[in-house]
């Protein structure tokens, strides 16, 4: 069975995410944490929704549908500080390294635009980025480009 098909089957059936290299596993731990919360609260939780984009696909972590209302979640399990300086996003890691990153709000907004276009959706779809690592410090507004930026509060 191809790796791509196995990955899709695992996520579609909400099985445990297969073991990944350590850095990917850390992010998957955040997704599992958020999935556990979503699965208890909502009937429809779709893992890894994807939409075609150019020759590839765009993918996010969860699409939740509640009472006919869809909302999209991207989970970031990052440590350190995440913020914006002008129009650039950054992550200041605990070891002092500062790196420029793609805006999680920007990539989520891009996914929503593509999803609306591809599926010809007219209604509102809510998008949010959930920061699941408790030690992550957000130096971000609570909303960027219509996308909610939320710390996961225990």
């Amino acid at each position: 069975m191809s790796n791509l098909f196995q990955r899709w089957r695992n996520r579609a059936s909400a099985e445990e995410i297969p073991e990944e290299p350590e850095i990917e596993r850390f992010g998957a731990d955040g997704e599992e944490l958020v999935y556990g919360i979503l699965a208890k609260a909502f009937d429809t939780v779709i893992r890894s929704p994807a939409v075609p984009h150019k020759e590839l696909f765009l993918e996010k972590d969860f699409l939740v549908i509640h009472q006919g209302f869809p909302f999209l979640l991207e989970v970031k399990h990052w440590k350190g500080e995440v913020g914006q300086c002008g129009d650039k996003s950054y992550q200041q890691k605990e070891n002092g390294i500062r790196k420029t990153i793609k805006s999680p709000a920007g990539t989520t907004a891009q996914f929503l635009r593509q999803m609306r276009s591809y599926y010809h959706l007219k209604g509102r779809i809510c998008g949010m980025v959930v920061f699941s690592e408790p030690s992550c410090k957000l130096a971000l507004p609570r909303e960027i480009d219509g996308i909610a930026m939320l710390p996961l509060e225990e």
Side-chain angles (χ1 to χ4, degrees), residues 27-154:
D29 288 345
E31 290 177 26
E32 286 298 317
L33 175 66
V34 172
Y35 176 74
I37 295 167
L38 294 173
K40 289 177 187 173
F42 303 103
D43 290 333
T44 306
V45 179
I46 300 167
R47 287 183 170 205
S48 302
V51 292
H53 179 68
K54 300 181 181 175
E55 285 94 40
L56 302 173
F57 291 87
L58 298 175
E59 182 181 4
K60 288 295 163 195
D61 295 321
F62 301 104
L63 177 63
V64 176
I65 302 171
H66 181 66
Q67 297 179 350
F69 183 79
F71 59 98
L72 184 76
L73 283 91
E74 174 68 358
V75 177
K76 295 299 181 191
H77 201 62
W78 292 341
K79 291 185 177 184
E81 178 180 287
V82 178
Q84 276 189 307
C85 187
D87 63 346
K88 300 284 184 195
S89 296
Y90 68 87
Q91 179 185 18
Q92 180 80 37
K93 295 186 174 200
E94 293 175 323
N95 63 5
I97 295 174
R98 182 180 174 116
K99 69 178 197 175
T100 301
I101 57 173
K102 286 185 177 181
S103 165
T107 61
T108 302
Q110 177 189 28
F111 184 97
L112 289 174
R113 284 190 304 273
Q114 188 63 23
M115 185 177 168
R116 282 186 191 104
S117 172
Y118 184 77
Y119 292 110
H120 307 287
L121 301 175
K122 302 291 183 211
R124 180 165 165 74
I125 304 171
C126 182
M128 61 187 75
V129 179
V130 176
F131 293 87
S132 58
E133 170 55 46
S135 70
C136 183
K137 180 181 176 201
L138 295 182
L140 294 166
R142 298 290 273 180
E143 179 267 326
I144 301 171
D145 297 331
I147 305 298
M149 309 298 281
L150 305 171
L152 182 64
E153 303 195 6
E154 308 218 11

Side-chain angles (χ1 to χ4, degrees), residues 6-19:
Q6 181 66 41
R7 183 174 168 198
W8 175 84
R9 189 175 68 86
N10 287 347
R11 289 183 178 180
S13 64
E15 294 176 6
E16 286 288 318
I17 295 174
E19 287 300 316

